[in-house]
Amino acid sequence: MAAYAAQRDDELCDGDDDVPELYNSDGEEWNSMEEEGSDHVSVPCVFCDRNLGSVDETFLHCKADHGVFIPDLVNKHSLDDYGYIKMINYIRVNKCSAETLLTVPNGSLPWDSDEYMKPVLPDDPLLQIDVEELSGATAMMSSPSIENQESGLLYRTMRAEEALARAVEDMNKLKLLAQDLLLNADTSCGRSSLGPVAELRDDEDEAYFSSYGHYSIHEEMLKDRVRTESYRDFMYNNMDVFKDKVVLDVGCGTGILSMFAAKAGARKVIAVDQSEIIYQAIDIVRSNQLEDTITLIKGRIEEINLPVEKVDIIISEWMGYFLLFESMLDSVIYARDRYLAPDGLVFPDRCNISLAAVGDVQKHNDCVAFWDDVYGFKMTCMKKAVVPEAVVGVLKPETVISEPAVIKTIDCGTVTLSELEFRADFTLKIKLDTFCTAIVGYFDIFFDMCCRNKVEFSTSPNCPKTHWKQTMFILESPISVKAGEELQGQITVHKNKKDPRALLITLDLSGLRQTYNLQ
Ligand code: SAH
């Protein structure tokens, strides 16, 4: 995953969406069956907590967002007025899901009891319509008339207006964020530019998912061929692992991994994403005729109920800068613990985080010594602001001056949340006489488990560049080192309590301690 948009850097030193929405990619033709004059009411949906402007809109919303066209149910179960009323009350009382409702067989009416004659909502507008008109509605659905098409347009306009309102809201938030950045942030040396804006903290998750709603972040990820081709090759070259399996894609974005899985032979793929990009994914899946295999669900994986009890395989591209930035692995762990079948697999299944020593005196001068003399003035105090910010950038491989040391290995099938905050000792074997000016961090990803054709990739400075680049921790004062010397250190990685998607990384090296923010 690309760290969210506001976080991206270049060269070093240079709507009420809490409600999950289920989409099966089918048509959205509809017809109007509501009586004139009744379209200014507020009608609560039977499946989620949206309020719609009329009974018509409610039926359309149920069809488009939950996959259930209520008039179809009336016909399917040959419901009369009483049967229909009982069914609506039954759904509301039992918070019955769309999926469950669709699987009620003909002739078995779980709402048959008279207790369901009692309205759950006072003056429920859904109970005030003529059921005969409803039965007719289904017939009209199958032969789209001009009115149907007009109504369809109306509905789409309504959805577009909602999307526009959300976009305006997002823009206002971004404006606030930008103002805050101007006031609070130092963006020199190509540093991450989103500060821990305390006042916006409540909105942080919204800002996070909002950033994934924009196409550009997905374009960047898809164009990262090291990343995307690794996932593709792992799936296409291990089709036996995917054949007839139920796969969950946590954070599907544009749906690329889900489509790889479908092509690799998965029987069913459930693709979940909380960001608005899922609306594009719905079109993408449909354009590639994969809608029968891939079911897309909008929502946070932690807040939705999947239409299956268990899945055989979880795939996800959750990695952030320095692997753990963004904390999306937490969501994959949640999904694994809740949905993975006992012998199920999580991919990627293993990851490493490594450190190495960097010797680049010129960059150090540009970023740190620079502050000692700025147009003849001393600004040395600025170093205290500059050094603690971890820098995301592409490191020249020739500036790496030690062997790498693995500081963490993660087994995605078993790792627990508490293991994602850790302390590790490390030893960096120096390769030449020089100055160590920074420590670089990067990660490696493995698709290993049960794979005949194993795939791996690395974000090391010695490997082809990825959009994760590397993460640099600049030392305030360079350390003189000799070839063959072993530089001993300790690293501590914690989530930043003020912003749990950000990391606080402390390095102890040569008797000095420095804490870095990765935000
Ligand atoms: N799988 C896609 C996108 C990866 S980016 C690809 O490989 O190109 C990560 C995606 O996960 C984002 O679209 C983000 O919105 C989504 N995401 C992150 N945390 C999530 C959560 N808890 N629930 C649902 N979606 C989540």
Side-chain angles (χ1 to χ4, degrees), residues 1-2 205 208-209 212-213 217-218 221-222 227-228 231 249-258 272-277 297 299-302 316-318 326 328 331-332 501:
M1 133 182 92
D205 241 25
Y208 171 76
F209 286 115
Y212 277 112
I217 199 163
H218 295 278
M221 288 187 286
L222 294 168
R227 176 202 91 111
T228 311
Y231 276 84
D249 179 358
V250 179
C252 64
T254 52
I256 184 75
L257 305 186
S258 293
V272 178
D273 207 297
Q274 163 68 346
S275 101
E276 308 251 316
I277 194 70
I297 302 177
R300 285 177 62 114
I301 188 72
E302 294 85 349
S316 183
E317 199 281 78
W318 50 266
E326 282 186 64
M328 195 185 150
S331 301
V332 175
R501 292 199 182 271

Tab-separated table of all heavy atoms in Angstrom, residues 1-2 205 208-209 212-213 217-218 221-222 227-228 231 249-258 272-277 297 299-302 316-318 326 328 331-332 501, ligand 1:
chain	number	residue	atom	x	y	z
A	1	MET	N	0.843	-1.173	0.000
A	1	MET	CA	0.000	0.000	0.000
A	1	MET	C	0.883	1.229	0.000
A	1	MET	O	1.954	1.217	0.578
A	1	MET	CB	-0.860	-0.110	1.251
A	1	MET	CG	-0.967	1.106	2.089
A	1	MET	SD	-1.956	0.752	3.538
A	1	MET	CE	-0.739	0.279	4.705
A	2	ALA	N	0.434	2.244	-0.679
A	2	ALA	CA	1.189	3.490	-0.647
A	2	ALA	C	0.822	4.191	0.636
A	2	ALA	O	-0.335	4.250	0.994
A	2	ALA	CB	0.784	4.375	-1.812
A	205	ASP	N	-8.743	9.075	10.655
A	205	ASP	CA	-9.050	7.886	9.888
A	205	ASP	C	-9.835	8.239	8.643
A	205	ASP	O	-9.649	7.638	7.587
A	205	ASP	CB	-9.811	6.877	10.741
A	205	ASP	CG	-9.000	5.604	10.850
A	205	ASP	OD1	-7.769	5.682	10.709
A	205	ASP	OD2	-9.620	4.541	11.027
A	208	TYR	N	-7.432	9.448	6.240
A	208	TYR	CA	-6.682	8.291	5.729
A	208	TYR	C	-7.452	7.632	4.589
A	208	TYR	O	-6.938	7.451	3.489
A	208	TYR	CB	-6.467	7.320	6.899
A	208	TYR	CG	-5.899	5.976	6.514
A	208	TYR	CD1	-4.560	5.826	6.202
A	208	TYR	CD2	-6.703	4.840	6.507
A	208	TYR	CE1	-4.036	4.582	5.872
A	208	TYR	CE2	-6.189	3.599	6.184
A	208	TYR	CZ	-4.858	3.475	5.860
A	208	TYR	OH	-4.347	2.260	5.535
A	209	PHE	N	-8.721	7.292	4.841
A	209	PHE	CA	-9.494	6.604	3.806
A	209	PHE	C	-9.813	7.547	2.657
A	209	PHE	O	-9.914	7.130	1.513
A	209	PHE	CB	-10.762	5.993	4.399
A	209	PHE	CG	-10.458	4.774	5.225
A	209	PHE	CD1	-10.685	4.756	6.586
A	209	PHE	CD2	-9.902	3.652	4.635
A	209	PHE	CE1	-10.372	3.639	7.345
A	209	PHE	CE2	-9.583	2.519	5.384
A	209	PHE	CZ	-9.821	2.518	6.742
A	212	TYR	N	-7.179	7.487	0.109
A	212	TYR	CA	-7.234	6.318	-0.761
A	212	TYR	C	-8.403	6.375	-1.746
A	212	TYR	O	-8.551	5.494	-2.583
A	212	TYR	CB	-7.299	5.035	0.071
A	212	TYR	CG	-5.932	4.588	0.526
A	212	TYR	CD1	-5.573	4.638	1.864
A	212	TYR	CD2	-5.004	4.146	-0.398
A	212	TYR	CE1	-4.306	4.231	2.266
A	212	TYR	CE2	-3.738	3.749	-0.010
A	212	TYR	CZ	-3.398	3.792	1.333
A	212	TYR	OH	-2.143	3.403	1.708
A	213	GLY	N	-9.248	7.398	-1.599
A	213	GLY	CA	-10.352	7.547	-2.542
A	213	GLY	C	-9.872	8.155	-3.849
A	213	GLY	O	-10.542	8.066	-4.877
A	217	ILE	N	-3.102	7.783	-5.828
A	217	ILE	CA	-2.362	6.900	-4.911
A	217	ILE	C	-2.398	5.459	-5.453
A	217	ILE	O	-1.439	4.703	-5.349
A	217	ILE	CB	-2.956	7.029	-3.488
A	217	ILE	CG1	-1.985	6.518	-2.433
A	217	ILE	CG2	-4.296	6.363	-3.345
A	217	ILE	CD1	-2.339	6.993	-1.028
A	218	HIS	N	-3.524	5.102	-6.096
A	218	HIS	CA	-3.647	3.756	-6.665
A	218	HIS	C	-2.790	3.645	-7.929
A	218	HIS	O	-2.190	2.608	-8.192
A	218	HIS	CB	-5.113	3.426	-6.929
A	218	HIS	CG	-5.873	3.361	-5.634
A	218	HIS	ND1	-5.877	2.243	-4.838
A	218	HIS	CD2	-6.581	4.311	-4.967
A	218	HIS	CE1	-6.572	2.500	-3.746
A	218	HIS	NE2	-7.013	3.748	-3.797
A	221	MET	N	0.663	2.974	-6.858
A	221	MET	CA	0.875	1.584	-6.422
A	221	MET	C	0.877	0.631	-7.615
A	221	MET	O	1.706	-0.264	-7.713
A	221	MET	CB	-0.216	1.178	-5.439
A	221	MET	CG	-0.078	1.843	-4.094
A	221	MET	SD	-1.252	1.195	-2.903
A	221	MET	CE	-2.770	1.924	-3.454
A	222	LEU	N	-0.086	0.835	-8.533
A	222	LEU	CA	-0.175	-0.080	-9.679
A	222	LEU	C	1.061	0.037	-10.559
A	222	LEU	O	1.527	-0.944	-11.141
A	222	LEU	CB	-1.440	0.213	-10.488
A	222	LEU	CG	-2.752	-0.090	-9.738
A	222	LEU	CD1	-3.947	0.486	-10.480
A	222	LEU	CD2	-2.930	-1.588	-9.530
A	227	ARG	N	6.230	-4.279	-6.820
A	227	ARG	CA	5.137	-4.629	-5.917
A	227	ARG	C	4.069	-5.448	-6.636
A	227	ARG	O	3.759	-6.584	-6.290
A	227	ARG	CB	4.519	-3.325	-5.390
A	227	ARG	CG	3.320	-3.504	-4.507
A	227	ARG	CD	2.478	-2.220	-4.474
A	227	ARG	NE	1.472	-2.251	-5.511
A	227	ARG	CZ	0.164	-2.360	-5.297
A	227	ARG	NH1	-0.297	-2.413	-4.074
A	227	ARG	NH2	-0.683	-2.398	-6.304
A	228	THR	N	3.512	-4.849	-7.712
A	228	THR	CA	2.316	-5.435	-8.310
A	228	THR	C	2.646	-6.747	-9.022
A	228	THR	O	1.900	-7.719	-8.933
A	228	THR	CB	1.667	-4.409	-9.261
A	228	THR	OG1	1.561	-3.157	-8.549
A	228	THR	CG2	0.287	-4.838	-9.676
A	231	TYR	N	2.914	-9.673	-6.538
A	231	TYR	CA	1.618	-10.257	-6.179
A	231	TYR	C	1.071	-11.087	-7.342
A	231	TYR	O	0.548	-12.182	-7.152
A	231	TYR	CB	0.613	-9.149	-5.800
A	231	TYR	CG	0.719	-8.709	-4.361
A	231	TYR	CD1	1.651	-7.746	-3.969
A	231	TYR	CD2	-0.097	-9.241	-3.380
A	231	TYR	CE1	1.750	-7.331	-2.654
A	231	TYR	CE2	-0.001	-8.830	-2.053
A	231	TYR	CZ	0.916	-7.877	-1.704
A	231	TYR	OH	1.013	-7.474	-0.391
A	249	ASP	N	-9.785	-10.262	0.152
A	249	ASP	CA	-8.791	-9.234	-0.175
A	249	ASP	C	-9.044	-8.059	0.775
A	249	ASP	O	-10.023	-7.328	0.628
A	249	ASP	CB	-8.985	-8.826	-1.655
A	249	ASP	CG	-8.024	-7.728	-2.105
A	249	ASP	OD1	-7.221	-7.250	-1.284
A	249	ASP	OD2	-8.092	-7.353	-3.304
A	250	VAL	N	-8.166	-7.893	1.747
A	250	VAL	CA	-8.356	-6.822	2.738
A	250	VAL	C	-7.763	-5.533	2.178
A	250	VAL	O	-6.556	-5.443	1.963
A	250	VAL	CB	-7.679	-7.183	4.086
A	250	VAL	CG1	-7.870	-6.044	5.085
A	250	VAL	CG2	-8.241	-8.482	4.629
A	251	GLY	N	-8.615	-4.552	1.912
A	251	GLY	CA	-8.165	-3.289	1.333
A	251	GLY	C	-7.930	-3.462	-0.156
A	251	GLY	O	-6.805	-3.369	-0.639
A	252	CYS	N	-9.011	-3.706	-0.901
A	252	CYS	CA	-8.851	-4.124	-2.309
A	252	CYS	C	-8.473	-2.972	-3.240
A	252	CYS	O	-8.008	-3.219	-4.344
A	252	CYS	CB	-10.129	-4.786	-2.804
A	252	CYS	SG	-11.532	-3.646	-2.828
A	253	GLY	N	-8.683	-1.710	-2.817
A	253	GLY	CA	-8.362	-0.591	-3.708
A	253	GLY	C	-9.078	-0.737	-5.036
A	253	GLY	O	-10.300	-0.905	-5.089
A	254	THR	N	-8.337	-0.717	-6.136
A	254	THR	CA	-8.937	-0.841	-7.464
A	254	THR	C	-9.372	-2.277	-7.772
A	254	THR	O	-9.945	-2.531	-8.827
A	254	THR	CB	-7.911	-0.442	-8.544
A	254	THR	OG1	-6.717	-1.206	-8.306
A	254	THR	CG2	-7.596	1.039	-8.503
A	255	GLY	N	-9.026	-3.210	-6.896
A	255	GLY	CA	-9.446	-4.596	-7.093
A	255	GLY	C	-8.406	-5.448	-7.795
A	255	GLY	O	-8.663	-6.608	-8.137
A	256	ILE	N	-7.206	-4.897	-7.955
A	256	ILE	CA	-6.209	-5.611	-8.756
A	256	ILE	C	-5.867	-6.990	-8.169
A	256	ILE	O	-5.820	-7.989	-8.892
A	256	ILE	CB	-4.925	-4.739	-8.952
A	256	ILE	CG1	-3.918	-5.419	-9.861
A	256	ILE	CG2	-4.255	-4.386	-7.639
A	256	ILE	CD1	-4.276	-5.398	-11.293
A	257	LEU	N	-5.681	-7.068	-6.857
A	257	LEU	CA	-5.298	-8.363	-6.271
A	257	LEU	C	-6.459	-9.351	-6.359
A	257	LEU	O	-6.257	-10.551	-6.580
A	257	LEU	CB	-4.856	-8.199	-4.807
A	257	LEU	CG	-3.742	-7.192	-4.525
A	257	LEU	CD1	-3.321	-7.257	-3.064
A	257	LEU	CD2	-2.537	-7.419	-5.434
A	258	SER	N	-7.678	-8.830	-6.197
A	258	SER	CA	-8.860	-9.699	-6.293
A	258	SER	C	-8.948	-10.297	-7.698
A	258	SER	O	-9.289	-11.473	-7.874
A	258	SER	CB	-10.128	-8.900	-6.022
A	258	SER	OG	-10.139	-8.487	-4.691
A	272	VAL	N	-12.785	-6.080	0.066
A	272	VAL	CA	-13.302	-5.097	1.031
A	272	VAL	C	-12.446	-3.836	0.986
A	272	VAL	O	-11.213	-3.920	0.974
A	272	VAL	CB	-13.242	-5.685	2.464
A	272	VAL	CG1	-13.724	-4.663	3.486
A	272	VAL	CG2	-14.062	-6.960	2.550
A	273	ASP	N	-13.089	-2.692	0.967
A	273	ASP	CA	-12.335	-1.447	1.133
A	273	ASP	C	-13.263	-0.387	1.705
A	273	ASP	O	-14.423	-0.300	1.318
A	273	ASP	CB	-11.733	-0.948	-0.195
A	273	ASP	CG	-10.489	-0.109	0.045
A	273	ASP	OD1	-10.604	0.958	0.677
A	273	ASP	OD2	-9.392	-0.526	-0.387
A	274	GLN	N	-12.729	0.398	2.600
A	274	GLN	CA	-13.529	1.461	3.214
A	274	GLN	C	-13.493	2.735	2.376
A	274	GLN	O	-14.349	3.587	2.508
A	274	GLN	CB	-12.998	1.720	4.635
A	274	GLN	CG	-13.399	3.025	5.288
A	274	GLN	CD	-14.888	3.085	5.618
A	274	GLN	OE1	-15.681	2.281	5.152
A	274	GLN	NE2	-15.264	4.062	6.400
A	275	SER	N	-12.493	2.851	1.486
A	275	SER	CA	-12.390	4.128	0.777
A	275	SER	C	-13.279	4.115	-0.475
A	275	SER	O	-13.711	3.060	-0.953
A	275	SER	CB	-10.928	4.410	0.414
A	275	SER	OG	-10.701	4.101	-0.917
A	276	GLU	N	-13.526	5.316	-0.991
A	276	GLU	CA	-14.455	5.461	-2.113
A	276	GLU	C	-13.929	4.843	-3.410
A	276	GLU	O	-14.660	4.710	-4.376
A	276	GLU	CB	-14.738	6.946	-2.359
A	276	GLU	CG	-15.170	7.676	-1.113
A	276	GLU	CD	-16.636	8.081	-1.110
A	276	GLU	OE1	-17.076	8.559	-2.152
A	276	GLU	OE2	-17.294	7.887	-0.080
A	277	ILE	N	-12.667	4.433	-3.397
A	277	ILE	CA	-12.111	3.809	-4.591
A	277	ILE	C	-12.893	2.546	-4.942
A	277	ILE	O	-12.903	2.090	-6.080
A	277	ILE	CB	-10.607	3.483	-4.379
A	277	ILE	CG1	-9.917	3.149	-5.711
A	277	ILE	CG2	-10.395	2.346	-3.410
A	277	ILE	CD1	-9.764	4.317	-6.627
A	297	ILE	N	-17.304	-5.220	-1.103
A	297	ILE	CA	-18.010	-4.708	0.069
A	297	ILE	C	-17.333	-3.421	0.526
A	297	ILE	O	-16.123	-3.405	0.752
A	297	ILE	CB	-17.983	-5.720	1.232
A	297	ILE	CG1	-18.614	-7.040	0.779
A	297	ILE	CG2	-18.719	-5.163	2.442
A	297	ILE	CD1	-18.581	-8.128	1.821
A	299	GLY	N	-16.604	-0.881	3.325
A	299	GLY	CA	-16.660	-0.792	4.780
A	299	GLY	C	-15.300	-1.094	5.364
A	299	GLY	O	-14.400	-1.575	4.675
A	300	ARG	N	-15.153	-0.755	6.635
A	300	ARG	CA	-13.921	-1.131	7.347
A	300	ARG	C	-14.029	-2.604	7.686
A	300	ARG	O	-15.057	-3.041	8.193
A	300	ARG	CB	-13.815	-0.354	8.659
A	300	ARG	CG	-13.417	1.074	8.516
A	300	ARG	CD	-13.440	1.686	9.879
A	300	ARG	NE	-12.457	0.999	10.717
A	300	ARG	CZ	-11.360	1.564	11.200
A	300	ARG	NH1	-11.125	2.818	10.948
A	300	ARG	NH2	-10.533	0.882	11.940
A	301	ILE	N	-12.974	-3.322	7.440
A	301	ILE	CA	-13.021	-4.766	7.680
A	301	ILE	C	-13.427	-5.049	9.130
A	301	ILE	O	-14.087	-6.034	9.432
A	301	ILE	CB	-11.668	-5.430	7.319
A	301	ILE	CG1	-11.762	-6.940	7.371
A	301	ILE	CG2	-10.536	-4.959	8.205
A	301	ILE	CD1	-12.539	-7.563	6.287
A	302	GLU	N	-13.068	-4.116	10.018
A	302	GLU	CA	-13.377	-4.309	11.438
A	302	GLU	C	-14.857	-4.078	11.738
A	302	GLU	O	-15.329	-4.438	12.806
A	302	GLU	CB	-12.572	-3.328	12.305
A	302	GLU	CG	-11.066	-3.546	12.305
A	302	GLU	CD	-10.346	-2.867	11.144
A	302	GLU	OE1	-11.026	-2.388	10.204
A	302	GLU	OE2	-9.107	-2.824	11.168
A	316	SER	N	-3.543	-9.361	0.972
A	316	SER	CA	-3.633	-7.934	1.273
A	316	SER	C	-2.301	-7.290	0.962
A	316	SER	O	-1.255	-7.916	1.110
A	316	SER	CB	-3.960	-7.729	2.754
A	316	SER	OG	-4.102	-6.353	3.017
A	317	GLU	N	-2.393	-6.053	0.520
A	317	GLU	CA	-1.167	-5.281	0.343
A	317	GLU	C	-1.266	-4.157	1.362
A	317	GLU	O	-1.870	-3.126	1.113
A	317	GLU	CB	-1.088	-4.772	-1.100
A	317	GLU	CG	0.301	-4.370	-1.484
A	317	GLU	CD	0.683	-3.013	-0.952
A	317	GLU	OE1	1.007	-2.911	0.256
A	317	GLU	OE2	0.644	-2.056	-1.743
A	318	TRP	N	-0.718	-4.430	2.538
A	318	TRP	CA	-0.930	-3.579	3.705
A	318	TRP	C	0.323	-2.815	4.096
A	318	TRP	O	0.313	-2.029	5.025
A	318	TRP	CB	-1.348	-4.461	4.897
A	318	TRP	CG	-0.421	-5.627	5.097
A	318	TRP	CD1	-0.585	-6.888	4.602
A	318	TRP	CD2	0.834	-5.640	5.792
A	318	TRP	NE1	0.479	-7.688	4.961
A	318	TRP	CE2	1.367	-6.939	5.691
A	318	TRP	CE3	1.564	-4.676	6.504
A	318	TRP	CZ2	2.586	-7.302	6.249
A	318	TRP	CZ3	2.776	-5.036	7.065
A	318	TRP	CH2	3.276	-6.342	6.934
A	326	GLU	N	1.360	3.203	9.111
A	326	GLU	CA	-0.053	3.109	8.722
A	326	GLU	C	-0.808	2.037	9.478
A	326	GLU	O	-2.031	1.994	9.449
A	326	GLU	CB	-0.265	2.839	7.223
A	326	GLU	CG	-0.098	4.035	6.365
A	326	GLU	CD	-0.465	3.746	4.941
A	326	GLU	OE1	-1.633	3.440	4.658
A	326	GLU	OE2	0.433	3.835	4.094
A	328	MET	N	-1.699	-0.890	8.944
A	328	MET	CA	-2.781	-1.641	8.307
A	328	MET	C	-2.680	-3.140	8.585
A	328	MET	O	-3.661	-3.875	8.461
A	328	MET	CB	-2.797	-1.357	6.802
A	328	MET	CG	-4.104	-1.825	6.186
A	328	MET	SD	-4.101	-1.648	4.419
A	328	MET	CE	-5.183	-3.004	3.975
A	331	SER	N	-5.310	-4.492	10.729
A	331	SER	CA	-6.594	-4.866	10.128
A	331	SER	C	-6.531	-6.266	9.525
A	331	SER	O	-7.506	-7.013	9.544
A	331	SER	CB	-6.988	-3.863	9.031
A	331	SER	OG	-7.074	-2.576	9.590
A	332	VAL	N	-5.365	-6.623	8.983
A	332	VAL	CA	-5.207	-7.964	8.405
A	332	VAL	C	-5.236	-8.999	9.539
A	332	VAL	O	-5.853	-10.065	9.418
A	332	VAL	CB	-3.897	-8.051	7.591
A	332	VAL	CG1	-3.658	-9.463	7.083
A	332	VAL	CG2	-3.945	-7.062	6.431
A	501	ARG	N	-1.499	5.568	13.652
A	501	ARG	CA	-0.975	5.120	12.354
A	501	ARG	C	0.485	5.520	12.178
A	501	ARG	O	1.150	5.056	11.262
A	501	ARG	CB	-1.810	5.691	11.207
A	501	ARG	CG	-3.212	5.093	11.172
A	501	ARG	CD	-3.859	5.290	9.842
A	501	ARG	NE	-5.202	4.750	9.866
A	501	ARG	CZ	-5.522	3.500	9.564
A	501	ARG	NH1	-4.592	2.645	9.187
A	501	ARG	NH2	-6.771	3.093	9.618
B	1	SAH	N1	-5.010	-3.894	-2.769
B	1	SAH	C1	-4.870	-2.667	-3.523
B	1	SAH	C2	-4.822	-1.424	-2.642
B	1	SAH	C3	-3.786	-1.439	-1.531
B	1	SAH	S1	-3.744	0.081	-0.631
B	1	SAH	C4	-3.631	-2.781	-4.373
B	1	SAH	O1	-2.829	-3.655	-4.102
B	1	SAH	O2	-3.448	-1.981	-5.286
B	1	SAH	C5	-4.594	-0.318	0.826
B	1	SAH	C6	-6.111	-0.195	0.722
B	1	SAH	O3	-6.638	-0.708	1.929
B	1	SAH	C7	-6.640	1.225	0.612
B	1	SAH	O4	-7.489	1.327	-0.510
B	1	SAH	C8	-7.381	1.472	1.917
B	1	SAH	O5	-8.546	2.261	1.748
B	1	SAH	C9	-7.754	0.060	2.334
B	1	SAH	N2	-7.886	-0.152	3.783
B	1	SAH	C10	-6.971	0.125	4.744
B	1	SAH	N3	-7.412	-0.262	5.945
B	1	SAH	C11	-8.651	-0.798	5.753
B	1	SAH	C12	-9.633	-1.364	6.627
B	1	SAH	N4	-9.406	-1.457	7.930
B	1	SAH	N5	-10.795	-1.783	6.099
B	1	SAH	C13	-11.029	-1.671	4.751
B	1	SAH	N6	-10.145	-1.145	3.883
B	1	SAH	C14	-8.964	-0.727	4.371
